[in-house]
Amino acid sequence: MKSDLLSTAKLKIIKQLQQPEQPKSLLQGAGLSPSVFLVASESLWRNGDLCGVIHDGCCQNACGLACVSYMDQDRKWSKVKHRR
């Protein structure tokens, strides 16, 4: 995937997570195709930019691949606020 497309997709995901009223589906809200969404969100998870939310059992420590919510679209995701 081209880097500018990936950067734009990542930005759309992060911006969607910062909205006070989030849609039921982050994929829908970001307005990305499923394949672009998967590549972009996986990159954000691997970089430690995404985490789950506390009520889903996440510690919110930017665990990346080890997060209980990693790439699970049935769980709620959040932008990492603090890095370890």
Side-chain angles (χ1 to χ4, degrees):
M1 180 177 293
K2 294 190 176 196
S3 65
D4 52 334
L5 176 60
L6 181 58
S7 296
T8 301
K10 287 181 187 181
L11 186 60
K12 284 183 176 185
I13 292 169
I14 294 297
K15 281 188 174 185
Q16 190 60 49
L17 287 170
Q18 294 172 334
Q19 297 299 315
E21 294 294 322
Q22 294 179 11
K24 193 166 186 97
S25 165
L26 183 58
L27 168 62
Q28 247 181 338
L32 301 168
S33 71
S35 58
V36 171
F37 178 81
L38 287 175
V39 171
S41 59
E42 183 172 16
S43 178
L44 288 167
W45 276 103
R46 287 183 180 274
N47 290 338
D49 295 321
L50 293 181
C51 64
V53 294
I54 292 173
H55 74 266
D56 270 347
C58 177
C59 65
Q60 295 194 313
N61 282 332
C63 299
L65 303 174
C67 183
V68 297
S69 295
Y70 171 73
M71 295 298 292
D72 185 343
Q73 293 183 39
D74 292 330
R75 291 178 176 261
K76 189 169 177 132
W77 297 355
S78 175
K79 181 180 181 300
V80 169
K81 292 164 184 64
H82 306 286
R83 300 240 178 223
R84 290 188 217 179

